[in-house]
Amino acid sequence: MHRLLLFSCILLLLSIPVISQEDEEEIEPPKRSVQSKIGGAGGFTQNLLFIDLNPINEYLRKSRGSGFDKTPMLLLGGQGYGYIMIVPNLRIGGMGAGGSLTSKSIDTVTNTRRNVELSVGFGGVTIDYTIPIVPRLDASIGVFLGSGSTEIKLTRNSNPNKIWDEVWDNFGTDKKIDDYTQKLSGSFFIFQPQLNLEYAIWRWLAIRIGIGYNGMAFGSWTLDDDYDLIGVPDKINGRGFMLNGGIYLGTFLY
């Protein structure tokens, strides 16, 4: 009887680790499920637009101006969005941005200054689908649709210091004046596919980096906002690849 009791106790002791292991496997927390995104966010965006400056530089050099440095154009702006909830992880929002490049030249013989400012701006609607990768890190695939413009401002003058009375005298005279400013403006429909990575630093703050392509179509040009401008080469526009970054405040689940 004692031997049977002793054998039972030994068997019970040997079975404890097995029972404990089974209990541990049973009480493991379930695998984390991906939660659909809710809420929204808004923030400040910075973009680098890589446009082809060769076409405009050819005209500048022919006109005794100075070509633009082949550096990307910095566009500053903002974006806001919200998840619509009807389709999980789909969000709709709005975005706008603008920036410019400047070219300056001086003819030392005639003391004539020729300045050119090239600017690009746009605004419209964004549609994005968010794909969670790991906690805190998401990818978003989407498109921006809107309208925008490319503007070329030409300024030529022989004396940077102007006098008030002379400005009005030149305005009223019939004589040809060498100094002038003209603005060439092109309006376009803009479509921009985007791929972004978004990292949530905290549940209310996130940062973004991404790449897109700024496409333009159906353009029309005017001179000084009053006259139709025809014969503008198609290559002069604001198309190009764009690197973007942003800082956002809002609701970020992870």
Side-chain angles (χ1 to χ4, degrees), residues 199-220:
Y199 182 77
I201 300 175
W202 294 296
R203 295 188 185 275
W204 54 271
L205 178 66
I207 58 175
R208 169 198 284 184
I209 59 172
I211 187 172
Y213 181 80
N214 198 39
M216 292 185 171
F218 310 111
S220 62

Side-chain angles (χ1 to χ4, degrees), residues 9 20-21 32 55 61 78 84-85 94 118-119 141 154 157 162 176 179 218 226 244:
C9 291
S20 300
Q21 185 176 0
R32 178 180 176 272
R61 295 188 180 102
I84 62 174
M85 306 300 293
L118 172 66
S119 60
I141 301 174
L154 308 174
N157 62 70
K162 303 301 180 181
K176 183 179 179 180
D179 297 351
F218 310 111
D226 289 325
N244 68 78

Side-chain angles (χ1 to χ4, degrees), residues 121-177:
F122 52 77
V125 177
T126 59
I127 303 173
D128 299 290
Y129 183 78
T130 304
I131 304 172
I133 301 177
V134 296
R136 298 178 182 265
L137 181 63
D138 298 331
S140 68
I141 301 174
V143 64
F144 164 78
L145 301 173
S147 61
S149 64
T150 300
E151 184 178 288
I152 304 172
K153 184 177 179 181
L154 308 174
T155 303
R156 187 185 72 183
N157 62 70
S158 56
N159 188 347
N161 300 316
K162 303 301 180 181
I163 301 174
W164 173 269
D165 291 337
E166 290 183 356
V167 172
W168 289 101
D169 290 341
N170 292 337
F171 179 72
T173 186
D174 293 330
K175 297 179 180 179
K176 183 179 179 180
I177 304 299

Side-chain angles (χ1 to χ4, degrees), residues 92-106:
I92 297 177
M95 181 178 73
S100 64
L101 296 174
T102 302
S103 164
K104 298 182 179 181
S105 65
I106 300 176

Side-chain angles (χ1 to χ4, degrees), residues 191-206:
F191 54 94
Q192 186 186 112
Q194 297 179 347
L195 173 62
N196 301 302
L197 292 176
E198 302 169 356
Y199 182 77
I201 300 175
W202 294 296
R203 295 188 185 275
W204 54 271
L205 178 66

